Amino acid sequence: MIKFLDLQKINAFYNAEFTAAFNRVLKSGWFILGKEVEAFESEFAQYCGAKYCIGTANGLDALILILEGYKQMGVIKEGDEVIVPSNTYIASIIAISKAGLIPVLCEPNIKTYLIDATLIESKITSLTKAILPVHLYGQLCDMDAINTIAKKHNLKVIEDSAQSHGAVYFNGKKSGNLGDASGFSFYPGKNLGALGDGGGITTNDHELAEIIKALRNYGSHKKYENLYIGINSRLDELQAPMLSIKLKHLTEDNAYRRQIAQRYLTEIKNEKIILPEAYHPNAHVWHLFTIRTNKRDELQLYLKNNGIETMIHYPIPPHHQKAYSYWQDKSFPLSERIHSTILSLPISNIISHDEVSEIIKVLNIYQ
């Protein structure tokens, strides 16, 4: 069986470094917000080209904390609106709701699966305060267009970079440094994945960074002195060095993913399969390689029977989820088409070219 993602094999490469890092933290006796977290925050901020990085417990909290930080600054208030793509993973939308704000869904471009920047202005009202573009599957959104709209309407731009670690835009800037703030996930399966949950925020805004540092730690900069009603969402001191170790290889790993993706794009030749579109090589890090087909479930079973594991990202659109039952009567036809036809093929920094050849062969003889 060709696994969709072999985390054991991915992490085995770092076993000696992981063990040394674990022993170092264990010996230090310091397990919450210590030198390891500080080191990774500095390294990741530098990698993204941002001034500040604040480690969080997960990617969802990262987005919530950005929005809560802006509320503390008086930029956003309860009940304001945030524009977000309608086909994103639901965490992007949950973050807006959890911050007491209103998600406003915007359809994607059917070819790239990214928020359609040409539709954003039609969603703006007097309550709109931010745009939350999601760099879905690893490809950067049209940030020039989005930032132009945001500037025109005095809106904040909050990147959801949970799937785009290391992606580079036309201007040479990386994901995490293309808006006012950015939320990252370091979930184990990400291009930069921890050995458990983890997240982070990057920004160039000093005031926002300082507020978020307190918010993630019970609203406190100094022990037992609480400036805000915060939460407990801190990147773990044990996870930070694991991420630092992997960060050194991220650019190389992303380059390998691009090689695999290019093979899929040029060698899969089956009229029943719709391939994804990448508008610029370096703007995509291929966290996922997603194809579409009208008989998705049939194709997935066919691949399984031929020893190839796949996944669906994502089977149910957010507006059809029970959690958002008040959207049930809304129609987002492009999102619905994507969610009903999409299928993710194996892609990672450790998949072999022989395995890729087998996947391509099996897809090309599918009838």
Side-chain angles (χ1 to χ4, degrees):
M1 172 68 75
I2 299 174
K3 290 185 177 182
F4 177 75
L5 185 65
D6 192 338
L7 288 177
Q8 287 179 308
K9 190 174 180 181
I10 287 172
N11 290 318
F13 178 81
Y14 307 103
N15 185 62
E17 289 181 276
F18 282 170
T19 300
F22 176 84
N23 288 335
R24 184 173 69 246
V25 174
L26 184 64
K27 185 178 179 180
S28 77
W30 194 288
F31 304 114
I32 303 292
L33 293 184
K35 292 181 180 179
E36 301 287 353
V37 169
E38 288 179 4
F40 172 72
E41 288 175 336
S42 176
E43 291 160 5
F44 193 65
Q46 184 176 10
Y47 180 84
C48 295
K51 291 181 180 178
Y52 310 103
C53 172
I54 306 99
T56 63
N58 53 69
L60 173 60
D61 283 358
L63 293 175
I64 294 171
L65 284 164
I66 292 169
L67 294 166
E68 291 290 352
Y70 280 131
K71 285 168 66 179
Q72 292 293 338
M73 292 169 66
V75 174
I76 297 175
K77 65 180 185 303
E78 199 95 358
D80 280 341
E81 296 175 349
V82 179
I83 297 171
V84 64
S86 54
N87 64 314
T88 184
Y89 179 55
I90 200 168
S92 313
I93 296 168
I94 289 174
I96 298 167
S97 299
K98 283 292 185 182
L101 306 171
I102 300 171
V104 175
L105 304 186
C106 182
E107 284 267 66
N109 179 305
I110 192 67
K111 294 181 179 180
T112 64
Y113 313 132
L114 303 174
I115 191 169
D116 189 336
T118 66
L119 302 177
I120 290 175
E121 281 199 280
S122 67
K123 301 290 182 178
I124 295 173
T125 72
S126 60
L127 294 175
T128 307
K129 292 297 184 293
I131 306 169
L132 202 158
V134 181
H135 304 314
L136 199 63
Y137 307 142
Q139 181 160 216
L140 296 176
C141 297
D142 185 350
M143 296 305 294
D144 284 346
I146 291 169
N147 283 322
T148 297
I149 293 167
K151 185 176 181 180
K152 178 181 175 182
H153 296 275
N154 194 28
L155 307 176
K156 292 297 182 183
V157 175
I158 302 164
E159 297 174 80
D160 184 336
S161 300
Q163 301 183 7
S164 60
H165 314 70
V168 184
Y169 199 59
F170 295 106
N171 58 10
K173 290 186 176 181
K174 286 194 178 86
S175 176
N177 191 29
L178 296 168
D180 295 290
S182 180
F184 285 88
S185 167
F186 303 124
Y187 183 79
K190 304 297 186 184
N191 290 32
L192 180 62
L195 303 184
D197 268 324
I201 295 160
T202 54
T203 185
N204 293 313
D205 187 325
H206 177 76
E207 182 182 3
L208 178 66
E210 288 301 304
I211 290 171
I212 290 172
K213 283 180 184 178
L215 286 173
R216 71 167 176 185
N217 188 39
Y218 301 102
S220 173
H221 281 300
K222 185 177 180 181
K223 197 169 186 178
Y224 303 130
E225 294 183 15
N226 303 82
L227 299 173
Y228 316 105
I229 300 173
I231 60 174
N232 176 6
S233 182
R234 304 170 296 209
L235 179 64
D236 196 275
E237 186 74 358
L238 274 169
Q239 295 294 350
M242 310 304 176
L243 290 167
S244 290
I245 290 164
K246 284 188 168 184
L247 181 60
K248 293 182 291 186
H249 301 270
L250 181 57
T251 298
E252 178 186 351
D253 290 346
N254 284 341
Y256 185 74
R257 285 176 178 267
R258 291 191 186 102
Q259 286 183 29
I260 301 305
Q262 189 59 29
R263 287 199 60 194
Y264 282 148
L265 290 170
T266 56
E267 297 178 41
I268 295 174
K269 299 183 184 299
N270 187 321
E271 62 182 14
K272 293 187 177 182
I273 294 170
I274 301 169
L275 297 170
E277 184 174 294
Y279 66 82
H280 187 270
N282 292 331
H284 207 320
V285 291
W286 300 102
H287 170 59
L288 297 171
F289 190 94
T290 50
I291 61 174
R292 290 195 296 117
T293 179
N294 290 329
K295 294 185 178 180
R296 189 260 313 285
D297 295 344
E298 178 185 290
L299 177 58
Q300 186 175 40
L301 180 60
Y302 164 78
L303 290 169
K304 180 181 178 182
N305 290 339
N306 281 274
I308 300 166
E309 186 179 28
T310 59
M311 292 190 71
I312 300 171
H313 296 91
Y314 304 94
I316 304 173
H319 66 286
H320 284 170
Q321 296 285 359
K322 188 175 181 181
Y324 289 97
S325 57
Y326 53 85
W327 283 339
Q328 292 291 331
D329 61 340
K330 291 187 178 295
S331 176
F332 296 93
L334 292 182
S335 292
E336 290 159 17
R337 192 190 311 172
I338 290 169
H339 286 273
S340 65
T341 58
I342 205 151
L343 186 66
S344 300
L345 302 180
I347 189 167
S348 70
N349 60 312
I350 51 88
I351 190 171
S352 72
H353 278 281
D354 286 344
E355 289 174 319
V356 173
S357 295
E358 178 65 16
I359 293 166
I360 293 168
K361 182 189 79 172
V362 170
L363 283 170
N364 283 342
I365 62 173
Y366 171 67
Q367 296 180 341

